């Protein structure tokens, strides 16, 4: 949207300049408009690169977090399995003792 607005502004400046300026002023206005358009394009590209980098970092953080959660779940289920085995053995001992 910003690029579109910048292009409209540049075209408007050229149109106004063509009506009220000398040829040299028109050339300067054209050069200024071209520079503004180039700056806008560069800024948009920089913003896109920054967003891409941030998205990659977020993706890495999510992957790392998911890996940690999976490991915690694995450790938790292993602990529960050991506790279940211990409870089963205790129940078996109690049953034999009565």
């Amino acid at each position: 949207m910003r690029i579109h607005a910048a292009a409209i502004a540049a075209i408007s400046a050229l149109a106004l300049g063509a009506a009220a300026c000398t040829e040299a002023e028109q050339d300067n206005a054209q050069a200024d408009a071209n520079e503004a358009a180039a700056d806008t394009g560069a800024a948009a590209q920089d913003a896109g690169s920054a967003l891409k980098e941030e998205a990659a970092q977020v993706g890495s953080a999510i992957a790392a977090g998911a890996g940690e959660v999976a490991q915690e779940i694995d450790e938790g289920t292993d602990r529960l399995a050991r506790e279940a085995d211990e409870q089963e053995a205790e129940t078996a001992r109690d049953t034999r003792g009565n």
Side-chain angles (χ1 to χ4, degrees):
M1 189 66 180
R2 284 185 169 162
I3 294 172
H4 184 58
I8 290 173
I11 292 169
S12 298
L14 289 175
L16 288 174
C21 299
T22 66
E23 188 171 329
E25 291 172 328
Q26 289 176 18
D27 290 343
N28 287 339
Q30 177 66 48
D32 290 346
N34 289 343
E35 185 177 343
D39 289 347
T40 301
Q45 186 174 4
D46 290 346
S49 295
L51 287 173
K52 182 177 179 182
E53 181 180 338
E54 290 300 319
Q57 290 175 357
V58 168
S60 294
I62 289 170
E68 288 179 25
V69 169
Q71 183 176 353
E72 289 178 18
I73 290 171
D74 183 45
E75 291 171 1
T77 56
D78 290 347
R79 182 179 47 80
L80 290 173
R82 282 191 307 273
E83 290 174 3
D85 289 344
E86 290 170 4
Q87 184 63 44
E88 187 177 316
E90 184 179 331
T91 301
R93 283 190 303 270
D94 289 346
T95 304
R96 280 181 270 149
N98 287 331

